[in-house]
Amino acid sequence: MVHLEQPQLSGLGRNPAAPTGVLVRLAAHDAGRHGLLMRKGQLPDAVAEALLTHGGSDSAAQLHGRRVSPAMRSRIAGHPDPAIRDARADLVRTLVECGSGLGIESLVEAYGRPPAELAADPDPRVRAAIAQDWHDRPAAVQSALLTDPDPEVRATATRAEHPGVPPELRERCLADPAVRSHLARHLPLTPAQFERLLAAGDKSVLRALAGNPCLTADMVARLQDSEDPSVRVAVAYSRHVPPEIRDRLLSLVEAEDATGSIDAKVALHWSSYRPDWLRDVPLAERLTYLDCPHAVFRRTLAESTDLPDEAWQRLDEDPDVSVRYAAALRSDVPSETLLRLVRAHGDPSAFRPLLVEHPNFPRRELRGLVDEPDPRVRLLALEDPELPVAELHQLGDCEESILRSGVARHPNVGADLLERLLADPEPKVADHAAANPVLPRASMDRIIAQARL
């Protein structure tokens, strides 16, 4: 989060080109310390020392592992102030008490004991933390956690599919209210086990059962009459459901969604249910879903790698943009298809790689996006690291702060434009400008001087 009152100081603390002397001075200000602690890589010893001086235990809690040198770790471990010396361990222990964690290495460091010992700690919160963070724990430890007297420990041990439940404990765990909904989601079930879970009358168990990819056709049929929108959607996505039943179930949920039902909206748009099985069926069967009226099936089909050209042409022109995006990720997608999709809808990827980073994307066309009316499309012009200064000025004058922020991060931004962005009324823009490694040293010194550091 940007420190709203002093975004320049926070950004400068992250600037990879800022010299040690500047960083040391930043440590005297709260916003500067925020930026320094968000900085990538190992902090110079002088900067870590300044953080300890000005930030005390709050800063010390973040100075650990690869963030500091071995010499500085030793310095903190032997610090005369116990609040600094124990800051990291105190933070980890506090998070454990709240049911959170920072990873197995932090647990071992904070408690000073190996994971196997912590798994038998008298405090159930510590055992739960081990169940959450020790992902490659041995089978014997997992069995002990699955039979732990504390229900939260047992629940935490089964939230992830792995390391799983050994066969000899399955019946016991399926009868355990603390964990059965976790197991119902993925465990292969016998008919008797399925019936017992169904009879439990637990909504979370029922929803988990509905999404279990190991269900037989008979089991799926037993769920078809549920009135729960999530169950209806999960069943509709099953490989065992004929098209007419799928259409009926989804129509019911869509009608509920249209009347404002939150449960229906979540089930249709935000649930984790997907027809992933479609990826593994023979090509001839997959191609029958080109005409499926439900976009999620066409989107899953578009994740294939072996479709014929005519199928790709259909998917590239699909009425649902999410299907077209999925199809555009294939390795041999035509460059003109990528460009047309980006010009029309931008690049909605929440994660890299973006469509404009696809090897087939015509990168020479990026700067042509500067004049597009949609700001989401204009933003992609900034993916060109050599975007001319004139175009950067044009985007820097836009009313959308996301565009100005993008300009402030750009490696080709000129000193005069960067100076203007440092004074931008939107704090995030000023923060990004101060963090840009092309920021002149004179500007860094002025920021420091204005803050009287």
Side-chain angles (χ1 to χ4, degrees):
M1 179 181 294
V2 176
H3 275 245
L4 298 181
E5 293 183 358
Q6 295 286 349
Q8 294 180 354
L9 296 179
S10 178
L12 189 54
R14 300 197 329 275
N15 193 315
T20 298
V22 168
L23 301 180
V24 167
R25 295 168 70 184
L26 283 169
H29 194 285
D30 180 58
R33 291 194 296 275
H34 174 269
L36 291 171
L37 292 170
M38 296 296 291
R39 188 180 180 83
K40 294 182 179 179
Q42 188 180 104
L43 292 167
D45 285 358
V47 176
E49 189 66 53
L51 284 167
L52 292 178
T53 299
H54 298 287
S57 60
D58 289 341
S59 292
Q62 307 300 324
L63 300 177
H64 66 99
R66 297 177 183 176
R67 295 286 289 131
V68 291
S69 70
M72 184 52 61
R73 288 199 295 274
S74 297
R75 161 93 170 101
I76 295 172
H79 201 281
D81 184 345
I84 289 178
R85 188 171 62 240
D86 301 331
R88 181 66 183 178
D90 289 344
L91 172 63
V92 173
R93 291 170 183 267
T94 298
L95 288 173
V96 167
E97 291 171 2
C98 296
S100 300
L102 289 172
I104 189 63
E105 292 181 0
S106 293
L107 287 174
V108 170
E109 181 182 4
Y111 288 90
R113 286 181 285 150
E117 289 187 16
L118 293 175
D121 191 274
D123 189 340
R125 295 171 297 186
V126 175
R127 301 196 303 274
I130 284 292
Q132 173 180 287
D133 291 338
W134 192 13
H135 305 301
D136 57 348
R137 54 188 177 267
V141 172
Q142 174 68 346
S143 293
L145 295 172
L146 292 173
T147 56
D148 193 278
D150 189 274
E152 184 56 33
V153 175
R154 302 196 303 274
T156 307
T158 55
R159 282 201 177 96
E161 187 171 349
H162 301 288
V165 178
E168 64 271 18
L169 289 177
R170 286 183 178 176
E171 283 291 342
R172 174 174 176 165
C173 289
L174 285 171
D176 184 353
V179 306
R180 60 191 178 193
S181 64
H182 298 157
L183 305 186
R185 192 176 306 279
H186 58 79
L187 203 66
L189 301 169
T190 66
Q193 290 170 337
F194 174 83
E195 291 297 335
R196 284 199 297 273
L197 289 173
L198 197 60
D202 185 318
K203 179 186 289 188
S204 63
V205 171
L206 185 62
R207 290 180 173 182
L209 266 180
N212 189 323
C214 303
L215 297 186
T216 65
D218 289 341
M219 294 175 183
V220 172
R222 296 276 282 115
L223 299 170
Q224 288 178 9
D225 295 328
S226 172
E227 296 185 358
D228 188 312
S230 291
V231 175
R232 285 173 170 171
V233 168
V235 170
Y237 291 169
S238 169
R239 71 180 70 204
H240 300 301
V241 171
E244 59 274 13
I245 294 179
R246 175 179 299 131
D247 294 345
R248 177 178 63 81
L249 291 173
L250 291 177
S251 293
L252 288 171
V253 181
E254 288 165 358
E256 291 182 59
D257 181 26
T259 63
S261 166
I262 297 299
D263 285 344
K265 183 178 292 295
V266 169
L268 282 175
H269 306 294
W270 300 327
S271 75
S272 60
Y273 302 125
R274 298 289 184 273
D276 293 333
W277 55 268
L278 184 57
R279 300 190 188 105
D280 301 320
V281 303
L283 176 61
E285 182 179 350
R286 267 181 287 143
L287 289 175
T288 63
Y289 286 86
L290 275 171
D291 296 314
C292 181
H294 311 294
V296 63
F297 288 88
R298 305 195 305 277
R299 188 162 57 245
T300 304
L301 174 62
E303 296 171 5
S304 301
T305 59
D306 58 348
L307 303 183
D309 289 344
E310 55 270 25
W312 287 125
Q313 291 171 6
R314 290 270 304 275
L315 294 169
D316 286 339
E317 298 173 359
D318 195 276
D320 189 287
V321 67
S322 70
V323 176
R324 302 204 296 277
Y325 277 123
L329 295 175
R330 67 188 186 273
S331 61
D332 59 347
V333 61
S335 59
E336 58 270 17
T337 298
L338 288 167
L339 182 60
R340 182 173 66 249
L341 186 56
V342 164
R343 281 190 181 279
H345 300 284
D347 201 333
S349 297
F351 306 99
R352 300 283 181 166
L354 299 170
L355 289 183
V356 295
E357 295 173 328
H358 193 291
N360 294 356
F361 189 87
R363 302 279 298 180
R364 64 187 179 278
E365 303 290 344
L366 281 173
R367 63 188 58 183
L369 303 178
V370 170
D371 296 316
E372 290 291 326
D374 189 336
R376 297 174 303 169
V377 181
R378 273 180 278 154
L379 182 65
L380 296 172
L382 294 166
E383 294 297 321
D384 180 357
E386 299 178 354
L387 192 65
V389 173
E391 278 77 359
L392 288 168
H393 271 277
Q394 180 178 338
L395 293 174
D397 290 333
C398 290
E399 64 179 73
E400 295 86 2
S401 63
I402 190 173
L403 292 173
R404 303 197 306 277
S405 288
V407 173
R409 294 191 301 268
H410 200 276
N412 210 32
V413 62
D416 59 334
L417 178 55
L418 195 58
E419 192 68 30
R420 176 157 62 85
L421 294 170
L422 281 170
D424 195 278
E426 171 56 49
K428 289 185 178 180
V429 177
D431 174 82
H432 288 307
N436 195 320
V438 305
L439 184 70
R441 174 60 189 273
S443 296
M444 297 183 188
D445 291 338
R446 193 193 69 255
I447 292 172
I448 292 289
Q450 288 176 343
R452 298 181 180 179
L453 299 177

